[in-house]
Amino acid sequence: MLVIFLNNKIMTCDTIIPLALEFRHRFPNRKILFIVFDNKTLSALKSNIVIWNAIISCGKIFSVDIGSGKWFNLIRVMKVLSYILLRTLVSKVAFIHFKILRENPFYFFYLINKKRTFFFESESLTRTDYHDTYHDKYSKHKKIVTDRPSAEYYVCTTNRWSGIKNAVRYKKEVVITPSFRSSRLWIEYIDNIVNENFIPRNGPSIDKPIITFLLGSLDKIPFTKTEIRKFLVKTLDPLDELTGDTKVFLKPHFITDIDLLLEILKCRDKDKYIISYLHPSVLASRSIFVICNCYSMAVLDAYFRSVPVVEYTDYNDDLLSLTNHGSIGFGVDYFINNDASKLHRTLQSIMNGNIVSTSKIDYSNKVDFDYLFELLSR
């Protein structure tokens, strides 16, 4: 059995779902349990149709949030945790977590299953050093973490991951794999479900390409000179001019001010601009290009499909110096900092087919993950 302890952010489930599908493919008789610790997280996962369908296609999910503390909630949670405990004591069970087994009271599960516990990187690809520097400088939440080992294996996509320091300190094994976003199984899974997601209410017929616009905050953020909402308008103008009747799917982040977005779109063609909550992998599979005004890890879904990614923004001088006048993150093909003419030329060239993605992806096959799955199956 494989038990995956998720964090309270959807991102960790998004990161691990391709691995879970691969595990189910390789070991069809092994159970997979997903554990969440907050009912809000469970509700958020249910509302994301791609992630939710992937979860129920390969395993079962349970919440161990006791909620109001009523007796029936406590009994339900104790039944789930007792089942995991019993299975761990009498059979081979692998644990995957992203930090929760490092903290009390769930550290107990690591203690009873040390040799089969895996600490995974929470992102689908290690953040750049620039991204980490920005995050450390501007983060409002300085997390205090418990300094102790919580896995036998620390699993990541590059040797830049900060978790490697703990692995080395406690003499644990580091396992580096390609991003599961690049696995053939994940790409094929998305290709198989994409048509059912592009139903009429989402815009175009399934055989027409789209443009994806990834959104974040529309306010001024710490490392930009200008409010993002102003750059959104500056980006929509050339999209109006250069992309004809191609639909633009605007993908909000949970921090996106939807009322403000609707106000900005009020004077635009409502048939062209569609606010969409489809999964980034689904959107990328139909996109001519992906664009954003502030870096998002969601661009990686386009990167792993060799779909051109454009970041049009307004970094401040300190960040530009740090990134050597490039993007803060990985996977951006064309970084344009407050240069409307360059944006116009770039979009025109992409629409004309003159420039493409700079990524050269050799989709990872089963061999790339064999060692990790050997460990998980022991």
Side-chain angles (χ1 to χ4, degrees):
M1 186 169 76
L2 175 64
V3 183
I4 301 173
F5 297 91
L6 300 171
N7 284 0
N8 289 336
K9 292 183 179 180
I10 293 181
M11 178 178 66
T12 55
C13 189
D14 209 20
T15 296
I16 209 67
I17 272 293
L19 176 142
L21 291 170
E22 182 82 32
F23 187 88
R24 169 60 66 199
H25 179 73
R26 290 175 179 239
F27 311 109
N29 296 322
R30 301 282 290 273
K31 288 185 177 181
I32 301 176
L33 297 185
F34 297 86
I35 303 298
V36 297
F37 298 85
D38 188 325
N39 288 333
K40 291 181 180 178
T41 304
L42 184 63
S43 296
L45 290 172
K46 286 181 178 179
S47 68
N48 190 314
I49 187 170
V50 172
I51 293 179
W52 185 253
N53 286 344
I55 289 172
I56 62 177
S57 73
C58 66
K60 295 182 178 180
I61 185 167
F62 297 95
S63 171
V64 293
D65 185 350
I66 61 173
S68 61
K70 292 183 179 179
W71 63 269
F72 51 86
N73 282 331
L74 290 172
I75 291 175
R76 176 183 53 80
V77 169
M78 290 306 298
K79 284 178 65 176
V80 172
L81 296 180
S82 297
Y83 173 74
I84 295 172
L85 173 60
L86 181 61
R87 285 295 302 267
T88 303
L89 293 176
V90 301
S91 62
K92 293 180 179 180
V93 177
F95 292 161
I96 289 176
H97 75 106
F98 300 90
K99 68 177 180 181
I100 193 68
L101 299 192
R102 185 181 58 196
E103 310 299 332
N104 292 326
F106 298 100
Y107 186 63
F108 166 77
F109 282 97
Y110 163 66
L111 293 177
I112 65 168
N113 199 31
K114 288 183 178 181
K115 296 300 182 182
R116 296 194 184 98
T117 300
F118 298 74
F119 192 134
F120 267 66
E121 181 178 22
S122 60
E123 288 90 2
S124 56
L125 191 68
T126 311
R127 294 185 305 195
T128 63
D129 294 337
Y130 313 135
H131 203 158
D132 278 338
T133 300
Y134 149 73
H135 188 272
D136 293 342
K137 183 175 181 180
Y138 294 110
S139 177
K140 295 179 181 179
H141 307 286
K142 304 298 183 182
K143 296 180 181 178
I144 300 175
V145 299
T146 306
D147 183 12
R148 59 187 175 188
S150 58
E152 186 67 20
Y153 306 98
Y154 286 69
V155 185
C156 55
T157 55
T158 76
N159 58 13
R160 298 193 312 273
W161 182 45
S162 58
I164 290 178
K165 294 177 183 177
N166 280 336
V168 172
R169 181 185 308 162
Y170 296 112
K171 298 180 179 170
K172 305 299 182 181
E173 183 174 349
V174 176
V175 180
I176 298 179
T177 75
S179 171
F180 276 88
R181 274 287 190 277
S182 69
S183 73
R184 287 188 182 278
L185 190 69
W186 175 249
I187 298 296
E188 291 169 0
Y189 176 81
I190 293 298
D191 287 344
N192 288 334
I193 68 168
V194 68
N195 289 351
E196 67 192 55
N197 283 274
F198 278 102
I199 52 182
R201 69 171 180 269
N202 289 324
S205 59
I206 60 176
D207 60 340
K208 288 190 176 181
I210 65 168
I211 294 164
T212 296
F213 201 139
L214 298 173
L215 302 173
S217 172
L218 300 181
D219 299 324
K220 184 179 181 300
I221 51 182
F223 60 85
T224 60
K225 295 179 181 178
T226 310
E227 292 178 332
I228 297 298
R229 71 186 76 180
K230 294 180 180 178
F231 261 74
L232 172 58
V233 173
K234 290 181 179 181
T235 310
L236 294 175
D237 289 341
L239 288 176
D240 278 339
E241 178 185 349
L242 300 171
T243 61
D245 62 356
T246 302
K247 307 286 187 183
V248 178
F249 277 44
L250 298 109
K251 167 71 172 170
H253 191 272
F254 74 89
I255 62 174
T256 305
D257 185 334
I258 299 299
D259 291 335
L260 177 56
L261 177 60
L262 290 171
E263 181 67 25
I264 292 171
L265 295 176
K266 190 166 61 176
C267 61
R268 307 281 172 173
D269 182 350
K270 63 181 176 61
D271 292 325
K272 180 179 180 65
Y273 293 100
I274 300 164
I275 298 175
S276 173
Y277 293 92
L278 289 173
H279 192 277
S281 286
V282 172
L283 293 172
S285 72
R286 286 292 182 267
S287 292
I288 301 170
F289 65 89
V290 171
I291 192 165
C292 60
N293 293 134
C294 180
Y295 182 78
S296 165
M297 294 291 285
V299 306
L300 295 173
D301 289 290
Y303 173 80
F304 287 126
R305 284 183 171 269
S306 296
V307 174
V309 176
V310 179
E311 182 179 359
Y312 181 52
T313 189
D314 190 24
Y315 288 1
N316 61 35
D317 293 339
D318 287 344
L319 187 57
L320 284 175
S321 176
L322 177 67
T323 64
N324 195 25
H325 293 263
S327 175
I328 195 174
F330 185 78
V332 173
D333 297 295
Y334 305 101
F335 176 79
I336 304 168
N337 199 71
N338 197 12
D339 187 335
S341 296
K342 185 176 180 181
L343 175 66
H344 190 282
R345 293 193 304 272
T346 301
L347 297 187
Q348 189 170 47
S349 294
I350 293 175
M351 293 303 295
N352 291 339
N354 295 329
I355 59 175
V356 295
S357 173
T358 59
S359 66
K360 302 295 183 184
I361 302 300
D362 178 16
Y363 291 120
S364 303
N365 56 39
K366 294 175 68 173
V367 175
D368 298 302
F369 307 111
D370 278 350
Y371 179 60
L372 174 60
F373 281 105
E374 178 192 336
L375 295 174
L376 287 168
S377 66
R378 287 179 180 175

